[in-house]
Amino acid sequence: DIQMTQSPSTLSASVGDRVTITCRASQNIVNHLNWYQQKPGKAPKLLIYSASSLQSGVPLRFSGGGSGADFTLTINILQPEDFATYYCQQNYSKFPYTFGHGTKLENK
Amino acid sequence: QVQLVQSGAEVKKPGSSVRVSCKASGGTVNNYAISWVRQVPGQGLEWMGEIIPVFHTTNHAQKFQGRVTITVDESTNTSHMELSSLRFEDAAVYYCARDLPRSPGGGVFDVWGQGTKVTVSA
């Protein structure tokens, strides 16, 4: 299985900040990397796919980058509704698709 | 806009089976792969398997091989996931999710069901 490692596991930030979450794959996954946001009691929401493509309807303050094994999710000008848990996920190999353990973005 | 609506919470005994349903409204379930993902309380997301309705093919994570059955009923626009030989550690929220239509190769989940909580208790 491809292992996905996110850092940090918890991130404290304030409204208006710029934050970056990193995700490292255990092997080269080219650009087959997706990012999801999940709020308590809700299903995950797709933010970014193919490493850097913004899903329809997602605010432009979200951006993704990277390739190979190292990826980032950046949120510019953090908004109150952005405090949530973020997961990366690889779809390079479906045996199985795997997720990172999540990064909880909390209000400082 | 397609929505996925899942069946309600279940309480099951160890060793029994659970069947969770996922009905598509506002669109058809037939054209895209449907995956099942679970989340143990307080933990991350775990992909269990998928069905590609147009081909009636399924793929499963090795961890669940032999215990999970994913089907689709085109007449009711519904996918079902059955997990057998339940253990205490199978207690989780189970989600269905649809593949993003334009993603090559699959595995990008753009529409999710609301989740179904499965409790395993003696």
Side-chain angles (χ1 to χ4, degrees):
Chain A
D1 298 3
I2 298 175
Q3 306 302 315
M4 307 301 294
T5 303
Q6 286 182 237
S7 60
S9 55
T10 306
L11 180 58
S12 295
S14 301
V15 172
D17 285 353
R18 180 176 186 262
V19 300
T20 297
I21 299 168
T22 64
C23 178
R24 173 166 286 178
S26 59
Q27 67 177 70
N28 184 349
I29 58 171
V30 193
N31 70 332
H32 297 275
L33 189 284
N34 313 305
W35 290 96
Y36 300 85
Q37 176 194 68
Q38 187 179 34
K39 295 182 179 179
K42 300 295 186 182
K45 173 187 175 182
L46 177 65
L47 300 175
I48 302 283
Y49 63 96
S50 298
S52 60
S53 296
L54 192 67
Q55 170 66 347
S56 175
V58 175
L60 292 174
R61 63 181 181 273
F62 291 91
S63 63
S67 64
D70 293 302
F71 302 89
T72 57
L73 172 70
T74 298
I75 311 173
N76 283 300
I77 312 178
L78 200 61
Q79 297 299 301
E81 61 268 28
D82 299 337
F83 294 106
T85 300
Y86 293 84
Y87 293 94
C88 63
Q89 175 241 339
Q90 65 81 19
N91 63 314
Y92 178 81
S93 169
K94 68 168 64 181
F95 300 105
Y97 297 129
T98 48
F99 294 83
H101 287 98
T103 294
K104 184 177 182 180
L105 177 56
E106 60 180 26
N107 199 345
K108 187 184 294 183
Chain B
Q1 176 72 340
V2 172
Q3 287 188 308
L4 300 177
V5 180
Q6 297 183 221
S7 50
E10 301 268 9
V11 179
K12 294 292 182 180
K13 293 188 182 302
S16 67
S17 298
V18 67
R19 190 181 194 230
V20 181
S21 299
C22 170
K23 183 176 177 61
S25 63
T28 176
V29 75
N30 299 341
N31 296 339
Y32 313 106
I34 297 288
S35 278
W36 288 85
V37 176
R38 78 177 186 180
Q39 186 168 36
V40 173
Q43 297 188 25
L45 300 160
E46 185 173 35
W47 182 80
M48 301 176 67
E50 68 177 1
I51 186 164
I52 305 172
V54 66
F55 300 120
H56 279 269
T57 58
T58 57
N59 297 296
H60 306 100
Q62 182 68 28
K63 174 177 180 177
F64 300 100
Q65 201 74 27
R67 284 212 301 145
V68 68
T69 304
I70 299 173
T71 58
V72 65
D73 183 341
E74 295 168 8
S75 67
T76 61
N77 225 12
T78 302
S79 176
H80 303 275
M81 186 282 298
E82 182 166 359
L83 186 64
S84 62
S85 302
L86 287 171
R87 308 158 185 164
F88 291 115
E89 55 265 35
D90 291 319
V93 176
Y94 289 77
Y95 294 100
C96 60
R98 184 193 77 164
D99 265 16
L100 179 69
R102 58 192 176 281
S103 72
V108 181
F109 309 126
D110 71 327
V111 178
W112 292 67
Q114 83 276 21
T116 297
K117 183 178 181 180
V118 174
T119 302
V120 182
S121 173

